[in-house]
Amino acid sequence: TQHGPVIGRIGDKWVSINLMQRPLRALIQDFSRMKAKDYAAFEQTMRMHTNSSNNTIFADSEGHIAYWHSDWIPRRSDAFDWTKPVDGSNPATAYHGLLTLAQTPHLLDPPDGWLYNSNNWPWSASGPDSPKRQDFPKYVDHGTEESARGYHALRLFGSHRGWTAASLTAAGFDSYLPAFATLIPALVKAYDAAPASDPLKTKLARQIAVLRGWNYRWGVNSVATSLAVFWGTDIYHQVFAAARAAKMSPEGYVVHRATPAQLLDSLAAASDKLAADFGTWQTPWGNINRFQRIGDSIRDPHFDDAKPSIPVPFTSSIWGSLASYGARPYPNTKRWYGTSGNSFVCVIEFGPRLRAWAVSTGGESGNPASPHFDDQAVRYATGNLREVYFYRSQLEGHIEREYHPGS
């Protein structure tokens, strides 16, 4: 169709989807972006308009920092709710080209001296220097709310100056979970308001005591993190459809719409699940949340509770963890293993001599027989970044072999 291929049906209506379908041009943009040597060259690559999914952060050795909120945003009418299917038979729903870079949220060298993004909206990309929501069409951010990670980052960046590589790395692994700082008080309030005759008043007394005294920080030894994540996961699943219908985030719905009975029943279910899977609800988070690399398959990863694994203290970004670890149990496991989130972490310090520290998930090799298949796993789980060797002098003493094409 003129709107793209038909992909399904809702009732008696066909559904089509309009996507950015420029694979060769997108590849050229990706390659050109890697070769750009300064802001002007990088911005020129963004004018190819084939980056439909990513918010882009830029920095260079001349001291420039920049942010682009995608570069492929179709120009359309603001009269429609673009978070839902629209009537393709109505000519007013047609796309009319793309917004230019100047018409999309963008920052270059904001006065406050910093910017960031955590896959969230652009309206907090640089604190008070951020783009203003009212200056752009509503569909630019699809009516989203600020993410828990966004609140976390602003809490750190808005009050700190004099960043160093070490302090920025520490910030990237800050253990605060702002979503639970909002959610847990609602749960505790529901418990306190429950009548003494409610059986859950006794059953959940110790769990509530743990959560009431929690500082909302993850840790491998934290029982509260385990309890909160299992409860949060359960209650989010319960309210997701209702929250979406109400155009609210799951967090907002839990705090403002969920009933006390829902909150307490969910905590009871989470406690029972922890006890069934791990023997007790008082299970430290590190006993549950694990990193394991025993095969090289990305499409179909395999995990095994009986084989070695490493505790990971950080959690999913859903709860506001800047160090993101998307883990879940698999059909043959009780423990949770991660397959998304932080995969490559790097801190770069520009100057007369480039310096950088990084860590890759597991290691640099995809070969399970290589010593470098999992030799960065502990670094990954603990946020202990390795020095990146850019210069020959740095490589001396660390070279295992050298290869030249054709040799």
Side-chain angles (χ1 to χ4, degrees):
T1 75
Q2 71 271 29
H3 301 297
V6 172
I7 60 168
R9 185 170 62 186
I10 299 178
D12 61 349
K13 303 289 187 182
W14 293 108
V15 178
S16 67
I17 187 168
N18 196 331
L19 296 174
M20 189 276 292
Q21 295 285 349
R22 300 174 178 176
L24 181 58
R25 191 179 176 93
L27 182 61
I28 293 171
Q29 180 177 343
D30 285 347
F31 184 80
S32 302
R33 182 170 53 197
M34 289 190 296
K35 297 297 183 181
K37 296 183 181 299
D38 53 27
Y39 174 80
F42 195 96
E43 185 191 40
Q44 192 62 37
T45 71
M46 298 295 288
R47 295 183 184 278
M48 297 187 71
H49 295 288
T50 55
N51 184 5
S52 62
S53 62
N54 296 329
N55 305 331
T56 301
I57 292 284
F58 170 89
D60 67 16
S61 58
E62 296 176 0
H64 296 301
I65 55 175
Y67 166 82
W68 289 270
H69 188 68
S70 181
D71 67 1
W72 194 88
I73 302 178
R75 188 189 309 277
R76 53 200 130 154
S77 170
D78 236 353
F80 300 93
D81 181 359
W82 293 97
T83 65
K84 299 178 180 178
V86 298
D87 184 359
S89 67
N90 182 350
T93 64
Y95 290 174
H96 300 283
L98 302 175
L99 297 182
T100 67
L101 290 183
Q103 293 169 329
T104 61
H106 171 57
L107 289 169
L108 173 63
D109 299 336
D112 225 16
W114 62 271
L115 53 80
Y116 90 102
N117 186 257
S118 58
N119 295 331
N120 63 322
W121 67 9
W123 319 125
S124 56
S126 185
D129 300 325
S130 304
K132 302 299 184 284
R133 194 174 198 174
Q134 63 270 21
D135 295 338
F136 300 90
K138 289 184 294 185
Y139 57 76
V140 164
D141 71 352
H142 301 293
T144 57
E145 299 181 23
E146 177 62 287
S147 69
R149 274 179 118 195
Y151 287 124
H152 189 176
L154 288 173
R155 184 174 184 261
L156 296 172
F157 295 147
S159 60
H160 189 86
R161 295 292 183 274
W163 289 97
T164 64
S167 63
L168 187 61
T169 302
F173 289 89
D174 185 81
S175 59
Y176 188 60
L177 297 174
F180 288 124
T182 300
L183 293 166
I184 296 299
L187 175 63
V188 171
K189 181 180 178 181
Y191 176 83
D192 290 343
S197 58
D198 189 334
L200 292 180
K201 198 77 170 180
T202 299
K203 177 174 181 172
L204 300 176
R206 290 188 297 163
Q207 291 92 321
I208 290 293
V210 168
L211 294 173
R212 196 193 299 270
W214 188 32
N215 60 1
Y216 310 121
R217 291 188 173 276
W218 48 248
V220 292
N221 297 316
S222 172
V223 170
T225 303
S226 304
L227 197 55
V229 169
F230 271 62
W231 170 70
T233 302
D234 183 86
I235 195 68
Y236 270 26
H237 284 164
Q238 288 190 41
V239 307
F240 182 81
R244 187 170 186 177
K247 294 185 177 180
M248 299 175 68
S249 67
E251 179 183 321
Y253 192 93
V254 168
V255 172
H256 299 292
R257 298 280 186 88
T259 66
Q262 279 182 295
L263 301 179
L264 296 178
D265 287 343
S266 179
L267 181 60
S271 299
D272 292 343
K273 176 67 173 171
L274 277 164
D277 288 352
F278 301 101
T280 173
W281 65 263
Q282 296 170 298
T283 302
W285 180 235
N287 289 11
I288 300 169
N289 201 50
R290 313 288 290 189
F291 178 90
Q292 186 178 75
R293 197 179 192 204
I294 55 178
D296 62 348
S297 174
I298 295 175
R299 185 182 298 274
D300 185 27
H302 175 70
F303 302 101
D304 189 338
D305 284 346
K307 294 186 177 181
S309 60
I310 295 170
V312 177
F314 37 97
T315 73
S316 166
S317 60
I318 293 173
W319 316 120
S321 181
L322 294 179
S324 172
Y325 193 64
R328 64 177 177 85
Y330 283 75
N332 61 322
T333 75
K334 298 296 184 182
R335 286 176 158 178
W336 292 24
Y337 299 97
T339 56
S340 66
N342 281 17
S343 55
F344 173 72
V345 183
C346 190
V347 175
I348 304 169
E349 182 180 274
F350 291 101
R353 184 176 174 87
L354 196 66
R355 303 176 69 202
W357 299 262
V359 68
S360 298
T361 311
E364 294 291 344
S365 175
N367 179 5
S370 167
H372 305 301
F373 179 71
D374 60 1
D375 62 347
Q376 292 185 50
V378 173
R379 284 186 177 276
Y380 171 81
T382 58
N384 180 20
L385 278 57
R386 57 179 168 76
E387 185 179 12
V388 176
Y389 304 140
F390 280 106
Y391 304 102
R392 183 77 189 190
S393 60
Q394 292 176 300
L395 287 168
E396 295 299 335
H398 302 287
I399 298 171
E400 294 184 3
R401 71 183 182 96
E402 292 193 33
Y403 169 79
H404 297 279
S407 65

